[in-house]
PDB file of all heavy atoms in Angstrom:
ATOM      1  N   GLN A  15     -24.113 243.388  16.673  1.00 41.00           N
ATOM      2  CA  GLN A  15     -23.215 242.280  16.976  1.00 41.00           C
ATOM      3  C   GLN A  15     -21.775 242.703  16.973  1.00 41.00           C
ATOM      4  O   GLN A  15     -20.954 242.231  17.713  1.00 41.00           O
ATOM      5  CB  GLN A  15     -23.417 241.143  15.955  1.00 41.00           C
ATOM      6  CG  GLN A  15     -24.777 240.449  16.115  1.00 41.00           C
ATOM      7  CD  GLN A  15     -24.940 239.308  15.166  1.00 41.00           C
ATOM      8  OE1 GLN A  15     -24.386 239.291  14.110  1.00 41.00           O
ATOM      9  NE2 GLN A  15     -25.776 238.365  15.523  1.00 41.00           N
ATOM     10  N   LYS A  16     -21.424 243.659  16.096  1.00 42.00           N
ATOM     11  CA  LYS A  16     -20.071 244.123  15.984  1.00 42.00           C
ATOM     12  C   LYS A  16     -19.648 244.961  17.176  1.00 42.00           C
ATOM     13  O   LYS A  16     -18.542 244.878  17.706  1.00 42.00           O
ATOM     14  CB  LYS A  16     -19.883 244.944  14.713  1.00 42.00           C
ATOM     15  CG  LYS A  16     -18.445 245.349  14.425  1.00 42.00           C
ATOM     16  CD  LYS A  16     -18.356 246.045  13.117  1.00 42.00           C
ATOM     17  CE  LYS A  16     -16.908 246.472  12.841  1.00 42.00           C
ATOM     18  NZ  LYS A  16     -16.775 247.176  11.535  1.00 42.00           N
ATOM     19  N   ASN A  17     -20.580 245.761  17.670  1.00 51.00           N
ATOM     20  CA  ASN A  17     -20.257 246.739  18.766  1.00 51.00           C
ATOM     21  C   ASN A  17     -20.357 246.115  20.147  1.00 51.00           C
ATOM     22  O   ASN A  17     -19.734 246.595  21.075  1.00 51.00           O
ATOM     23  CB  ASN A  17     -21.186 247.961  18.657  1.00 51.00           C
ATOM     24  CG  ASN A  17     -20.900 248.790  17.410  1.00 51.00           C
ATOM     25  OD1 ASN A  17     -19.780 248.830  16.924  1.00 51.00           O
ATOM     26  ND2 ASN A  17     -21.916 249.437  16.850  1.00 51.00           N
ATOM     27  N   ILE A  18     -21.212 245.137  20.314  1.00 61.00           N
ATOM     28  CA  ILE A  18     -21.394 244.506  21.612  1.00 61.00           C
ATOM     29  C   ILE A  18     -20.663 243.148  21.646  1.00 61.00           C
ATOM     30  O   ILE A  18     -21.010 242.271  20.865  1.00 61.00           O
ATOM     31  CB  ILE A  18     -22.894 244.305  21.947  1.00 61.00           C
ATOM     32  CG1 ILE A  18     -23.570 245.648  21.904  1.00 61.00           C
ATOM     33  CG2 ILE A  18     -23.071 243.667  23.282  1.00 61.00           C
ATOM     34  CD1 ILE A  18     -25.059 245.565  21.973  1.00 61.00           C
ATOM     35  N   THR A  19     -19.652 243.027  22.424  1.00 65.00           N
ATOM     36  CA  THR A  19     -18.864 241.811  22.442  1.00 65.00           C
ATOM     37  C   THR A  19     -19.061 241.043  23.719  1.00 65.00           C
ATOM     38  O   THR A  19     -19.419 241.609  24.757  1.00 65.00           O
ATOM     39  CB  THR A  19     -17.397 242.073  22.270  1.00 65.00           C
ATOM     40  OG1 THR A  19     -16.936 242.915  23.311  1.00 65.00           O
ATOM     41  CG2 THR A  19     -17.106 242.762  20.929  1.00 65.00           C
ATOM     42  N   LEU A  20     -18.926 239.760  23.641  1.00 73.00           N
ATOM     43  CA  LEU A  20     -18.986 238.860  24.790  1.00 73.00           C
ATOM     44  C   LEU A  20     -17.703 238.053  24.786  1.00 73.00           C
ATOM     45  O   LEU A  20     -17.376 237.465  23.795  1.00 73.00           O
ATOM     46  CB  LEU A  20     -20.213 237.951  24.752  1.00 73.00           C
ATOM     47  CG  LEU A  20     -20.369 236.922  25.855  1.00 73.00           C
ATOM     48  CD1 LEU A  20     -20.660 237.626  27.183  1.00 73.00           C
ATOM     49  CD2 LEU A  20     -21.449 235.948  25.530  1.00 73.00           C
ATOM     50  N   THR A  21     -16.972 238.021  25.870  1.00 73.00           N
ATOM     51  CA  THR A  21     -15.774 237.194  25.988  1.00 73.00           C
ATOM     52  C   THR A  21     -15.961 236.131  27.001  1.00 73.00           C
ATOM     53  O   THR A  21     -16.723 236.265  27.992  1.00 73.00           O
ATOM     54  CB  THR A  21     -14.536 238.021  26.334  1.00 73.00           C
ATOM     55  OG1 THR A  21     -14.759 238.644  27.651  1.00 73.00           O
ATOM     56  CG2 THR A  21     -14.251 239.113  25.316  1.00 73.00           C
ATOM     57  N   ALA A  22     -15.339 234.982  26.812  1.00 74.00           N
ATOM     58  CA  ALA A  22     -15.504 233.841  27.725  1.00 74.00           C
ATOM     59  C   ALA A  22     -14.166 233.177  27.886  1.00 74.00           C
ATOM     60  O   ALA A  22     -13.395 232.953  26.962  1.00 74.00           O
ATOM     61  CB  ALA A  22     -16.504 232.849  27.162  1.00 74.00           C
ATOM     62  N   THR A  23     -13.871 232.804  29.137  1.00 72.00           N
ATOM     63  CA  THR A  23     -12.647 232.062  29.448  1.00 72.00           C
ATOM     64  C   THR A  23     -12.993 230.923  30.442  1.00 72.00           C
ATOM     65  O   THR A  23     -13.617 231.161  31.426  1.00 72.00           O
ATOM     66  CB  THR A  23     -11.587 232.984  30.115  1.00 72.00           C
ATOM     67  OG1 THR A  23     -11.362 234.099  29.221  1.00 72.00           O
ATOM     68  CG2 THR A  23     -10.285 232.225  30.349  1.00 72.00           C
ATOM     69  N   TYR A  24     -12.554 229.693  30.052  1.00 73.00           N
ATOM     70  CA  TYR A  24     -12.796 228.617  30.966  1.00 73.00           C
ATOM     71  C   TYR A  24     -11.615 228.493  31.977  1.00 73.00           C
ATOM     72  O   TYR A  24     -10.415 228.424  31.516  1.00 73.00           O
ATOM     73  CB  TYR A  24     -12.878 227.325  30.178  1.00 73.00           C
ATOM     74  CG  TYR A  24     -12.992 226.069  31.077  1.00 73.00           C
ATOM     75  CD1 TYR A  24     -14.098 225.902  31.953  1.00 73.00           C
ATOM     76  CD2 TYR A  24     -12.027 225.066  31.034  1.00 73.00           C
ATOM     77  CE1 TYR A  24     -14.207 224.803  32.723  1.00 73.00           C
ATOM     78  CE2 TYR A  24     -12.145 223.969  31.884  1.00 73.00           C
ATOM     79  CZ  TYR A  24     -13.252 223.826  32.705  1.00 73.00           C
ATOM     80  OH  TYR A  24     -13.343 222.741  33.539  1.00 73.00           O
ATOM     81  N   GLU A  25     -11.907 228.547  33.240  1.00 74.00           N
ATOM     82  CA  GLU A  25     -10.884 228.379  34.252  1.00 74.00           C
ATOM     83  C   GLU A  25     -11.095 227.043  34.941  1.00 74.00           C
ATOM     84  O   GLU A  25     -11.998 226.850  35.734  1.00 74.00           O
ATOM     85  CB  GLU A  25     -10.975 229.539  35.277  1.00 74.00           C
ATOM     86  CG  GLU A  25     -10.637 230.897  34.637  1.00 74.00           C
ATOM     87  CD  GLU A  25     -10.228 231.954  35.680  1.00 74.00           C
ATOM     88  OE1 GLU A  25     -10.205 231.647  36.876  1.00 74.00           O
ATOM     89  OE2 GLU A  25      -9.837 233.034  35.191  1.00 74.00           O
ATOM     90  N   LYS A  26     -10.197 226.116  34.574  1.00 70.00           N
ATOM     91  CA  LYS A  26     -10.286 224.772  35.037  1.00 70.00           C
ATOM     92  C   LYS A  26     -10.231 224.610  36.560  1.00 70.00           C
ATOM     93  O   LYS A  26     -11.001 223.856  37.149  1.00 70.00           O
ATOM     94  CB  LYS A  26      -9.208 223.910  34.397  1.00 70.00           C
ATOM     95  CG  LYS A  26      -9.351 222.426  34.584  1.00 70.00           C
ATOM     96  CD  LYS A  26      -8.263 221.694  33.823  1.00 70.00           C
ATOM     97  CE  LYS A  26      -8.388 220.232  33.958  1.00 70.00           C
ATOM     98  NZ  LYS A  26      -7.296 219.493  33.188  1.00 70.00           N
ATOM     99  N   ASP A  27      -9.345 225.390  37.210  1.00 72.00           N
ATOM    100  CA  ASP A  27      -9.200 225.314  38.637  1.00 72.00           C
ATOM    101  C   ASP A  27     -10.461 225.774  39.378  1.00 72.00           C
ATOM    102  O   ASP A  27     -10.777 225.237  40.471  1.00 72.00           O
ATOM    103  CB  ASP A  27      -7.963 226.057  39.148  1.00 72.00           C
ATOM    104  CG  ASP A  27      -8.011 227.524  38.727  1.00 72.00           C
ATOM    105  OD1 ASP A  27      -8.667 227.838  37.747  1.00 72.00           O
ATOM    106  OD2 ASP A  27      -7.370 228.342  39.418  1.00 72.00           O
ATOM    107  N   LYS A  28     -11.187 226.750  38.790  1.00 78.00           N
ATOM    108  CA  LYS A  28     -12.426 227.224  39.434  1.00 78.00           C
ATOM    109  C   LYS A  28     -13.648 226.471  38.939  1.00 78.00           C
ATOM    110  O   LYS A  28     -14.749 226.710  39.470  1.00 78.00           O
ATOM    111  CB  LYS A  28     -12.578 228.711  39.118  1.00 78.00           C
ATOM    112  CG  LYS A  28     -11.514 229.607  39.742  1.00 78.00           C
ATOM    113  CD  LYS A  28     -11.744 231.083  39.433  1.00 78.00           C
ATOM    114  CE  LYS A  28     -10.679 231.907  40.056  1.00 78.00           C
ATOM    115  NZ  LYS A  28     -10.856 233.361  39.738  1.00 78.00           N
ATOM    116  N   LYS A  29     -13.464 225.600  37.954  1.00 81.00           N
ATOM    117  CA  LYS A  29     -14.569 224.857  37.380  1.00 81.00           C
ATOM    118  C   LYS A  29     -15.712 225.789  36.919  1.00 81.00           C
ATOM    119  O   LYS A  29     -16.893 225.572  37.255  1.00 81.00           O
ATOM    120  CB  LYS A  29     -15.054 223.789  38.296  1.00 81.00           C
ATOM    121  CG  LYS A  29     -14.045 222.706  38.630  1.00 81.00           C
ATOM    122  CD  LYS A  29     -14.598 221.649  39.525  1.00 81.00           C
ATOM    123  CE  LYS A  29     -13.512 220.616  39.821  1.00 81.00           C
ATOM    124  NZ  LYS A  29     -13.964 219.585  40.762  1.00 81.00           N
ATOM    125  N   ALA A  30     -15.314 226.906  36.241  1.00 84.00           N
ATOM    126  CA  ALA A  30     -16.275 227.901  35.831  1.00 84.00           C
ATOM    127  C   ALA A  30     -15.879 228.507  34.507  1.00 84.00           C
ATOM    128  O   ALA A  30     -14.664 228.564  34.215  1.00 84.00           O
ATOM    129  CB  ALA A  30     -16.426 228.930  36.901  1.00 84.00           C
ATOM    130  N   VAL A  31     -16.859 228.992  33.772  1.00 84.00           N
ATOM    131  CA  VAL A  31     -16.609 229.821  32.609  1.00 84.00           C
ATOM    132  C   VAL A  31     -16.843 231.267  33.025  1.00 84.00           C
ATOM    133  O   VAL A  31     -17.950 231.583  33.487  1.00 84.00           O
ATOM    134  CB  VAL A  31     -17.502 229.439  31.419  1.00 84.00           C
ATOM    135  CG1 VAL A  31     -17.306 230.398  30.238  1.00 84.00           C
ATOM    136  CG2 VAL A  31     -17.268 228.025  30.955  1.00 84.00           C
ATOM    137  N   LEU A  32     -15.832 232.117  32.908  1.00 82.00           N
ATOM    138  CA  LEU A  32     -15.915 233.480  33.279  1.00 82.00           C
ATOM    139  C   LEU A  32     -16.315 234.280  31.992  1.00 82.00           C
ATOM    140  O   LEU A  32     -15.634 234.253  31.005  1.00 82.00           O
ATOM    141  CB  LEU A  32     -14.618 234.031  33.850  1.00 82.00           C
ATOM    142  CG  LEU A  32     -14.084 233.241  35.029  1.00 82.00           C
ATOM    143  CD1 LEU A  32     -12.777 233.894  35.528  1.00 82.00           C
ATOM    144  CD2 LEU A  32     -15.089 233.143  36.159  1.00 82.00           C
ATOM    145  N   LEU A  33     -17.449 234.968  32.114  1.00 84.00           N
ATOM    146  CA  LEU A  33     -18.008 235.708  30.938  1.00 84.00           C
ATOM    147  C   LEU A  33     -18.062 237.171  31.234  1.00 84.00           C
ATOM    148  O   LEU A  33     -18.309 237.610  32.372  1.00 84.00           O
ATOM    149  CB  LEU A  33     -19.401 235.217  30.665  1.00 84.00           C
ATOM    150  CG  LEU A  33     -19.444 233.725  30.278  1.00 84.00           C
ATOM    151  CD1 LEU A  33     -20.560 232.998  31.079  1.00 84.00           C
ATOM    152  CD2 LEU A  33     -19.676 233.530  28.800  1.00 84.00           C
ATOM    153  N   GLN A  34     -17.771 237.968  30.219  1.00 81.00           N
ATOM    154  CA  GLN A  34     -17.800 239.435  30.392  1.00 81.00           C
ATOM    155  C   GLN A  34     -18.293 240.099  29.126  1.00 81.00           C
ATOM    156  O   GLN A  34     -17.844 239.825  28.008  1.00 81.00           O
ATOM    157  CB  GLN A  34     -16.394 239.941  30.727  1.00 81.00           C
ATOM    158  CG  GLN A  34     -16.379 241.477  30.959  1.00 81.00           C
ATOM    159  CD  GLN A  34     -15.058 241.923  31.488  1.00 81.00           C
ATOM    160  OE1 GLN A  34     -14.630 241.482  32.572  1.00 81.00           O
ATOM    161  NE2 GLN A  34     -14.416 242.805  30.802  1.00 81.00           N
ATOM    162  N   GLY A  35     -19.238 241.009  29.258  1.00 80.00           N
ATOM    163  CA  GLY A  35     -19.676 241.854  28.194  1.00 80.00           C
ATOM    164  C   GLY A  35     -19.630 243.296  28.628  1.00 80.00           C
ATOM    165  O   GLY A  35     -19.153 243.593  29.742  1.00 80.00           O
ATOM    166  N   GLN A  36     -20.090 244.198  27.801  1.00 77.00           N
ATOM    167  CA  GLN A  36     -20.005 245.629  28.162  1.00 77.00           C
ATOM    168  C   GLN A  36     -21.309 246.314  27.743  1.00 77.00           C
ATOM    169  O   GLN A  36     -21.793 246.054  26.660  1.00 77.00           O
ATOM    170  CB  GLN A  36     -18.804 246.263  27.456  1.00 77.00           C
ATOM    171  CG  GLN A  36     -18.404 247.620  28.077  1.00 77.00           C
ATOM    172  CD  GLN A  36     -17.142 248.140  27.444  1.00 77.00           C
ATOM    173  OE1 GLN A  36     -16.916 248.081  26.263  1.00 77.00           O
ATOM    174  NE2 GLN A  36     -16.317 248.729  28.296  1.00 77.00           N
ATOM    175  N   HIS A  37     -21.813 247.183  28.638  1.00 78.00           N
ATOM    176  CA  HIS A  37     -23.001 247.928  28.397  1.00 78.00           C
ATOM    177  C   HIS A  37     -22.682 249.088  27.440  1.00 78.00           C
ATOM    178  O   HIS A  37     -22.170 250.136  27.901  1.00 78.00           O
ATOM    179  CB  HIS A  37     -23.612 248.451  29.695  1.00 78.00           C
ATOM    180  CG  HIS A  37     -24.792 249.356  29.533  1.00 78.00           C
ATOM    181  ND1 HIS A  37     -25.727 249.186  28.584  1.00 78.00           N
ATOM    182  CD2 HIS A  37     -25.144 250.438  30.231  1.00 78.00           C
ATOM    183  CE1 HIS A  37     -26.647 250.114  28.646  1.00 78.00           C
ATOM    184  NE2 HIS A  37     -26.293 250.921  29.647  1.00 78.00           N
ATOM    185  N   VAL A  38     -22.894 248.909  26.154  1.00 79.00           N
ATOM    186  CA  VAL A  38     -22.592 249.951  25.165  1.00 79.00           C
ATOM    187  C   VAL A  38     -23.793 250.339  24.307  1.00 79.00           C
ATOM    188  O   VAL A  38     -23.728 251.231  23.528  1.00 79.00           O
ATOM    189  CB  VAL A  38     -21.430 249.528  24.229  1.00 79.00           C
ATOM    190  CG1 VAL A  38     -20.149 249.288  24.998  1.00 79.00           C
ATOM    191  CG2 VAL A  38     -21.781 248.212  23.458  1.00 79.00           C
ATOM    192  N   HIS A  39     -24.902 249.561  24.442  1.00 79.00           N
ATOM    193  CA  HIS A  39     -26.044 249.831  23.642  1.00 79.00           C
ATOM    194  C   HIS A  39     -26.954 250.787  24.371  1.00 79.00           C
ATOM    195  O   HIS A  39     -27.562 250.504  25.382  1.00 79.00           O
ATOM    196  CB  HIS A  39     -26.800 248.477  23.426  1.00 79.00           C
ATOM    197  CG  HIS A  39     -27.722 248.479  22.230  1.00 79.00           C
ATOM    198  ND1 HIS A  39     -28.766 249.329  22.117  1.00 79.00           N
ATOM    199  CD2 HIS A  39     -27.732 247.668  21.135  1.00 79.00           C
ATOM    200  CE1 HIS A  39     -29.387 249.105  20.982  1.00 79.00           C
ATOM    201  NE2 HIS A  39     -28.805 248.087  20.395  1.00 79.00           N
ATOM    202  N   LYS A  40     -27.076 252.024  23.822  1.00 81.00           N
ATOM    203  CA  LYS A  40     -27.790 253.100  24.486  1.00 81.00           C
ATOM    204  C   LYS A  40     -29.222 252.791  24.664  1.00 81.00           C
ATOM    205  O   LYS A  40     -29.903 253.319  25.605  1.00 81.00           O
ATOM    206  CB  LYS A  40     -27.627 254.391  23.717  1.00 81.00           C
ATOM    207  CG  LYS A  40     -26.192 254.923  23.744  1.00 81.00           C
ATOM    208  CD  LYS A  40     -26.043 256.197  22.956  1.00 81.00           C
ATOM    209  CE  LYS A  40     -24.603 256.713  22.944  1.00 81.00           C
ATOM    210  NZ  LYS A  40     -24.449 257.946  22.156  1.00 81.00           N
ATOM    211  N   ASN A  41     -29.845 251.980  23.807  1.00 84.00           N
ATOM    212  CA  ASN A  41     -31.250 251.670  23.860  1.00 84.00           C
ATOM    213  C   ASN A  41     -31.546 250.424  24.727  1.00 84.00           C
ATOM    214  O   ASN A  41     -32.717 250.009  24.866  1.00 84.00           O
ATOM    215  CB  ASN A  41     -31.859 251.483  22.469  1.00 84.00           C
ATOM    216  CG  ASN A  41     -31.802 252.743  21.666  1.00 84.00           C
ATOM    217  OD1 ASN A  41     -31.974 253.833  22.225  1.00 84.00           O
ATOM    218  ND2 ASN A  41     -31.596 252.610  20.370  1.00 84.00           N
ATOM    219  N   ALA A  42     -30.525 249.780  25.282  1.00 86.00           N
ATOM    220  CA  ALA A  42     -30.735 248.570  26.046  1.00 86.00           C
ATOM    221  C   ALA A  42     -31.380 248.843  27.413  1.00 86.00           C
ATOM    222  O   ALA A  42     -30.989 249.800  28.083  1.00 86.00           O
ATOM    223  CB  ALA A  42     -29.386 247.847  26.240  1.00 86.00           C
ATOM    224  N   ILE A  43     -32.336 248.026  27.743  1.00 88.00           N
ATOM    225  CA  ILE A  43     -32.956 248.098  29.121  1.00 88.00           C
ATOM    226  C   ILE A  43     -32.473 246.928  29.957  1.00 88.00           C
ATOM    227  O   ILE A  43     -32.518 246.997  31.172  1.00 88.00           O
ATOM    228  CB  ILE A  43     -34.476 248.259  29.070  1.00 88.00           C
ATOM    229  CG1 ILE A  43     -35.101 247.050  28.346  1.00 88.00           C
ATOM    230  CG2 ILE A  43     -34.876 249.519  28.446  1.00 88.00           C
ATOM    231  CD1 ILE A  43     -36.603 247.019  28.400  1.00 88.00           C
ATOM    232  N   SER A  44     -32.025 245.842  29.338  1.00 90.00           N
ATOM    233  CA  SER A  44     -31.457 244.730  30.049  1.00 90.00           C
ATOM    234  C   SER A  44     -30.651 243.878  29.088  1.00 90.00           C
ATOM    235  O   SER A  44     -30.817 243.893  27.885  1.00 90.00           O
ATOM    236  CB  SER A  44     -32.554 243.894  30.692  1.00 90.00           C
ATOM    237  OG  SER A  44     -33.348 243.212  29.743  1.00 90.00           O
ATOM    238  N   TYR A  45     -29.756 243.079  29.673  1.00 90.00           N
ATOM    239  CA  TYR A  45     -28.961 242.088  28.941  1.00 90.00           C
ATOM    240  C   TYR A  45     -29.251 240.724  29.539  1.00 90.00           C
ATOM    241  O   TYR A  45     -29.283 240.570  30.761  1.00 90.00           O
ATOM    242  CB  TYR A  45     -27.497 242.385  29.046  1.00 90.00           C
ATOM    243  CG  TYR A  45     -27.032 243.664  28.380  1.00 90.00           C
ATOM    244  CD1 TYR A  45     -26.948 244.864  29.076  1.00 90.00           C
ATOM    245  CD2 TYR A  45     -26.743 243.720  27.008  1.00 90.00           C
ATOM    246  CE1 TYR A  45     -26.561 246.020  28.467  1.00 90.00           C
ATOM    247  CE2 TYR A  45     -26.337 244.853  26.373  1.00 90.00           C
ATOM    248  CZ  TYR A  45     -26.226 246.044  27.134  1.00 90.00           C
ATOM    249  OH  TYR A  45     -25.842 247.212  26.511  1.00 90.00           O
ATOM    250  N   THR A  46     -29.438 239.735  28.660  1.00 92.00           N
ATOM    251  CA  THR A  46     -29.660 238.374  29.149  1.00 92.00           C
ATOM    252  C   THR A  46     -28.553 237.494  28.605  1.00 92.00           C
ATOM    253  O   THR A  46     -28.364 237.404  27.376  1.00 92.00           O
ATOM    254  CB  THR A  46     -31.071 237.838  28.649  1.00 92.00           C
ATOM    255  OG1 THR A  46     -32.057 238.691  29.112  1.00 92.00           O
ATOM    256  CG2 THR A  46     -31.264 236.440  29.167  1.00 92.00           C
TER     257      THR A  46
END
């Protein structure tokens, strides 16, 4: 949880939440 972060920003004009994470887990086969 400490090494893998997820950030989120609500953009009112786009009516969307923009989400971003980073592939840093060497054993990961997928992210959901």
Side-chain angles (χ1 to χ4, degrees):
Q15 289 184 334
K16 184 176 180 180
N17 293 329
I18 301 169
T19 60
L20 177 68
T21 61
T23 304
Y24 176 62
E25 295 202 356
K26 190 175 181 180
D27 57 334
K28 294 181 180 178
K29 296 182 180 177
V31 176
L32 304 182
L33 298 131
Q34 181 171 303
Q36 196 173 42
H37 174 38
V38 296
H39 201 302
K40 293 180 180 178
N41 295 326
I43 58 175
S44 67
Y45 293 95
T46 302

